[in-house]
Amino acid sequence: MKLSGGSARVNALMAQMSLGEKLGQISMLADGLVETGPPGPHNPFNMIVDGRVGSLLNVWGAHLVREAQRRAVEESRLGVPLFFGLDVVHGHKSIHPVPIAEAGSFDRQLWEATARDSAIEAMADGVHMTFAPMIDVARDARWGRIVETAGEDPLVNAEFGRARVRGYQARDEKGIMRLAACAKHFCAYGAVVSGRDYAEADVSWRGLEEIYLPPFRACVDEGVAAIMPAFIDVAGMAMTGHKRLLRDMLRARWRFDGLIVSDYNAIAELINHGVAADAPEAAALALNAGVDIDMMSDAYFNGLPIALERGLVSMDEIDMAVRRVLNFKEQIGLFDDPYRNMAPSASKEEIPKTLAPERRALSRQAAQRSIVLLKNEGALLPLKAPRSLAVLGPLADAPNDQLGPWASAGDGQDAVTILAGLRETYAQADVRFAKGAPFEGRDEDELEAARKALAGADAIILCIGESRMMSGEALSRTKPEIPAGQLELARMALESGAPVVLAINSGRPLVLPDWLVEGAHAILAAWHAGTEAGPALAAILSGACNPSARLAITWPRTTGQMPLFYGLRPSGRPHDPQNTWTTGYYDCPFDPCWSFGQGLSYTRFARANLRVDRDALDLDDLVSVSVDVTNIGTCEGVETIFLFSRDPVAQVTRPMLELRDFTKVALRQGETRTVVFVVKVRDLCYLDEDRKPRLDDGAIQFHVGASARREDLERIDVVIAQG
Ligand code: NOJ
């Protein structure tokens, strides 16, 4: 979006506005339909008439937004319409899997489709902006917000971000973007020390350039409407006032001309960070860094008049921010139709029947493509015709929890639980249910009920993990594990002797005890898979759907391994279990429980003929890397192929693997297809010590295969000869 210009209408408005009205436009206040931060002293509905607020968050529903808009348009002096923002993160009413799960579909079209669907639903509820996508690369499962991310990889986050922006911002029949996207949190929020939310991050310039910034660059290139700076400080610079990154990089170098919206209360929190003495200084820092909208802190409204008097800001800077907000409102059509999509003025066609069958179908498809099969000993799954099933665990019949955190307007009443899904799928079987344990703590009666339920069962479906309140914002955990009471239930299930299918429902990879990983016959990362989690899991367990998802995040063995990720730089003393003097741990194996990209299918695939179309390359060349993939199993299935590269000798150390591309290929039994990746040689450059892109003559390795595990990859080399 280009927001710095101005139409005659915007210019005329600007000329009439008082300072207070201008500051109102750049102030966003929260209403209380949902609480996403500390409540403020405001009653925003009453402040609208005074022109004291330009946008609201956390309010939706045609009735409410229409009333708020009426006050703005009909009762405020200048009648400037409001816009409404909300965290529509993984669905609005139809809830799709949490992002860490859906990322594992590695399916760009799905990522876009679920965002488009969310936009249609949210738009009908009067929402204009979503605070999504969240594209913070995250590598530490202690951090509760890992659930909102697309995982550990910069390229996956970048592609996920692009697809989301396309989906949210898809145009309606009038050619107006349905839902403006706000990419967040710029930047390095995923690197908070110790995985503790709101903590500092110490990231080198190389870490920023290579890991944390590329997803934002991708969203800017895709035309994202807004960016939200992170709450935190990065290497001593509070992001909400980070002039170098916001103004010099984002605005000047990347030419981002959309809105910069502060995080919740983040401008006032510059005082807590110790970089501003009072609200006027905090407001000046943020405004001068390029932040247009103050979410919830009042620092702009109360602090900027004083900052003006003190000469800390100029009226031009304030005007620039106001102009951007007004231009945004104009571009999303609010001046022409302030009640856009707010019933009853909206046409019937524009108001989707939420949770209509086609919406549920998309949610179910998304869930099926996000649930990862991690273990399937003795081909226990699919479970074709069990006579009796014991369904155990606090997540088996937990309609609200399966929606996960940030479930927007999602309602547990619309959710179909795992128990319901299994009962429908296995209608002929005796399906018994017992919760067995609360989320935390233990309950002897529940345990006894579970003991009865599992007696004589052909198989046990064990649904344990986290409640929706155990991951998300401000929900870091020092022990990202399955709570003890649930583990007691798991032990009882294993000791019964019946085969156990462990479905881990969570917002993060959870550390599992060895006995559980070894003892469970089948293991699935079922995540919080949304409204249709139940039918989706049942379809996978019964074989109606062949699982195809992969982990977008390395699954650790133990908390002490965190942060854990595949893209390590080589050690001078590479890990060798036979040699003490090498990198690793005394008390834990070096490798993770499961690697990035791992995930099983009910069929098997083979790769052959890895090849390149040319082996000597110059900087401007393109190179095709191809491999033949064959379905050598007994049913149709979908394989994911990853392309990594490695630069083995450079002026600086380079990661052992860098993801360059990924694709999915659907294959019938016995079918072979060729997967072709086209790589721009220039994209293989690294930044040298002077921060200049560079590629040295010599070999570059391509590693192609099914995951980041060594044994899942084949290698082919090309030679760079510039010349
Ligand atoms: C704080 C969170 O950090 C941010 O992601 C969210 O968009 C805002 N609250 C608004 O709810």
Side-chain angles (χ1 to χ4, degrees):
M1 270 182 140
K2 292 267 166 268
L3 297 182
S4 54
S7 64
R9 178 157 54 184
V10 166
N11 291 341
L13 261 180
M14 292 284 299
Q16 294 175 66
M17 282 180 151
S18 66
L19 177 61
E21 284 164 333
K22 286 181 175 173
L23 298 181
Q25 284 305 308
I26 55 177
S27 297
M28 179 186 280
L29 295 178
D31 197 53
L33 270 192
V34 64
E35 194 173 286
T36 61
H42 324 92
N43 181 344
F45 263 62
N46 293 341
M47 298 160 98
I48 298 169
V49 183
D50 304 328
R52 162 71 179 80
V53 52
S55 48
L56 291 179
L57 80 149
N58 295 351
V59 52
W60 68 88
H63 178 68
L64 277 179
V65 291
R66 196 174 169 79
E67 171 56 17
Q69 195 68 305
R70 191 193 61 72
R71 292 185 188 201
V73 174
E74 293 175 24
E75 294 185 15
S76 74
R77 188 177 79 95
L78 294 173
V80 181
L82 300 163
F83 80 84
F84 299 89
L86 185 67
D87 295 280
V88 181
V89 174
H90 55 110
H92 181 57
K93 292 198 168 164
S94 317
I95 302 301
H96 310 300
V98 289
I100 187 75
E102 201 184 317
S105 70
F106 288 96
D107 184 336
R108 296 166 177 90
Q109 282 175 359
L110 180 70
W111 298 337
E112 183 175 337
T114 49
R116 197 181 320 113
D117 183 75
S118 315
I120 291 170
E121 290 187 353
M123 180 187 80
D125 253 352
V127 181
H128 303 111
M129 177 183 284
T130 173
F131 307 118
M134 202 274 220
I135 42 169
D136 294 309
V137 171
R139 299 170 164 190
D140 191 329
R142 290 173 297 180
W143 189 46
R145 302 200 76 172
I146 202 165
V147 62
E148 298 169 55
T149 75
E152 75 184 62
D153 186 78
L155 179 84
V156 177
N157 276 280
E159 293 290 290
F160 183 81
R162 274 183 184 279
R164 289 301 217 209
V165 171
R166 284 195 299 272
Y168 291 133
Q169 297 192 171
R171 310 265 152 179
D172 66 9
E173 71 283 358
K174 294 191 189 117
I176 299 175
M177 66 168 68
R178 289 206 184 91
L179 192 61
C182 175
K184 66 189 190 185
H185 306 82
F186 186 84
C187 59
Y189 190 13
V192 281
V193 67
S194 313
R196 182 164 39 84
D197 210 2
Y198 313 131
E200 74 261 37
D202 253 311
V203 181
S204 65
W205 67 262
R206 183 177 296 286
L208 289 181
E209 292 277 1
E210 293 182 357
I211 299 165
Y212 297 103
L213 288 171
F216 289 94
R217 181 63 201 257
C219 286
V220 169
D221 291 347
E222 199 63 52
V224 71
I227 301 264
M228 181 187 290
F231 280 125
I232 56 163
D233 91 87
V234 177
M237 296 296 294
M239 281 309 309
T240 305
H242 205 312
K243 218 171 175 173
R244 288 232 170 116
L245 286 180
L246 294 176
R247 193 165 280 259
D248 301 349
M249 162 114 57
L250 184 59
R251 288 250 192 253
R253 249 177 68 194
W254 295 2
R255 307 204 173 289
F256 173 69
D257 198 16
L259 287 172
I260 300 185
V261 184
S262 89
D263 204 342
Y264 196 110
N265 200 40
I267 301 183
E269 288 169 16
L270 290 170
I271 303 171
N272 295 345
H273 280 289
V275 293
D278 55 15
E281 279 192 19
L285 257 184
L287 188 78
N288 290 331
V291 177
D292 299 306
I293 293 184
D294 174 353
M295 183 194 285
M296 264 313 266
S297 92
D298 283 341
Y300 275 4
F301 196 81
N302 297 327
L304 282 179
I306 305 170
L308 263 176
E309 274 168 30
R310 290 190 199 158
L312 298 175
V313 292
S314 69
M315 200 58 219
D316 281 354
E317 288 297 342
I318 295 176
D319 280 350
M320 182 69 94
V322 178
R323 197 173 274 286
R324 281 210 183 89
V325 171
L326 296 178
N327 284 337
F328 173 70
K329 291 180 177 180
E330 176 158 72
Q331 287 189 27
I332 62 168
L334 287 179
F335 286 121
D336 296 325
D337 179 9
Y339 299 104
R340 176 187 159 214
N341 303 318
M342 298 171 194
S345 79
S347 74
K348 286 258 169 1
E349 292 70 14
E350 281 168 343
I351 304 168
K353 287 192 209 74
T354 52
L355 303 201
E358 67 276 13
R359 312 218 97 78
R360 284 192 181 274
L362 178 63
S363 275
R364 188 158 57 245
Q365 191 186 66
Q368 285 173 350
R369 294 184 188 178
S370 303
I371 294 171
V372 192
L373 178 63
L374 294 166
K375 179 179 177 187
N376 192 16
E377 195 175 282
L380 171 68
L381 299 180
L383 274 177
K384 283 294 184 203
R387 275 166 300 130
S388 59
L389 278 182
V391 183
L392 307 181
L395 285 138
D397 196 27
N400 289 309
D401 292 287
Q402 74 185 44
L403 301 184
W406 296 110
S408 196
D411 186 342
Q413 290 195 6
D414 291 323
V416 187
T417 68
I418 296 175
L419 178 63
L422 289 170
R423 285 211 159 121
E424 193 178 335
T425 300
Y426 294 110
Q428 309 306 322
D430 172 18
V431 178
R432 313 165 201 158
F433 165 66
K435 206 157 108 176
F439 284 112
E440 290 175 278
R442 73 190 291 281
D443 182 320
E444 197 54 54
D445 293 344
E446 295 276 12
L447 212 54
E448 192 44 42
R451 190 170 287 121
K452 286 198 184 115
L454 59 75
D458 283 351
I460 299 170
I461 315 294
L462 183 61
C463 304
I464 55 178
E466 292 181 310
S467 72
R468 74 190 286 189
M469 296 309 295
M470 289 165 80
S471 67
E473 186 178 344
L475 289 163
S476 295
R477 296 179 64 194
T478 58
K479 298 189 191 80
E481 300 165 4
I482 293 176
Q486 296 189 53
L487 285 181
E488 191 178 346
L489 174 69
R491 207 178 258 290
M492 192 173 89
L494 290 186
E495 284 169 359
S496 77
V500 172
V501 177
L502 169 62
I504 308 160
N505 291 234
S506 63
R508 45 157 75 86
L510 290 177
V511 168
L512 306 173
D514 291 346
W515 56 263
L516 186 52
V517 177
E518 280 153 26
H521 301 76
I523 303 181
L524 299 109
W527 308 109
H528 293 304
T531 308
E532 290 285 309
L537 185 67
I540 287 177
L541 297 187
S542 69
C545 165
N546 189 352
S548 60
R550 305 304 187 80
L551 292 177
I553 183 108
T554 306
W555 198 291
R557 288 175 186 275
T558 183
T559 308
Q561 288 178 310
M562 298 173 200
L564 187 65
F565 51 98
Y566 77 83
L568 302 171
R569 294 196 295 268
S571 164
R573 295 185 174 188
H575 178 68
D576 175 356
Q578 308 305 324
N579 183 348
T580 313
W581 305 102
T582 62
T583 188
Y585 297 102
Y586 167 71
D587 58 355
C588 176
F590 183 70
D591 58 344
C593 195
W594 292 289
S595 296
F596 171 90
Q598 271 191 269
L600 301 170
S601 162
Y602 294 147
T603 187
R604 287 180 305 121
F605 302 96
R607 294 179 303 277
N609 299 328
L610 177 60
R611 55 201 183 274
V612 288
D613 65 341
R614 54 207 301 182
D615 48 20
L617 301 163
D618 207 340
L619 259 194
D620 291 320
D621 286 339
L622 296 176
V623 54
S624 298
V625 185
S626 311
V627 67
D628 301 335
V629 186
T630 304
N631 181 343
I632 55 168
T634 51
C635 59
E636 64 182 3
V638 178
E639 173 69 318
T640 308
I641 302 287
F642 297 94
L643 170 73
F644 299 94
S645 73
R646 176 168 186 217
D647 188 342
V649 184
Q651 291 187 351
V652 300
T653 58
R654 302 302 304 147
M656 305 284 283
L657 291 175
E658 290 179 83
L659 187 64
R660 297 295 175 189
D661 206 348
F662 53 87
T663 192
K664 305 200 75 130
V665 50
L667 295 168
R668 291 188 305 278
Q669 189 186 352
E671 191 186 6
T672 299
R673 283 189 190 210
T674 302
V675 164
V676 183
F677 296 108
V678 179
V679 181
K680 286 186 193 153
V681 173
R682 198 170 283 280
D683 288 347
L684 302 173
C685 286
Y686 64 91
L687 295 177
D688 67 15
E689 269 302 81
D690 299 321
R691 307 192 186 190
K692 298 247 158 47
R694 176 182 179 92
L695 195 61
D696 310 284
D697 283 356
I700 289 283
Q701 305 168 358
F702 289 117
H703 298 257
V704 177
S707 85
R709 271 198 320 178
R710 285 264 151 244
E711 52 269 49
D712 284 338
L713 294 170
E714 285 91 47
R715 173 181 144 190
I716 191 163
D717 290 9
V718 291
V719 172
I720 307 297
Q722 294 164 77

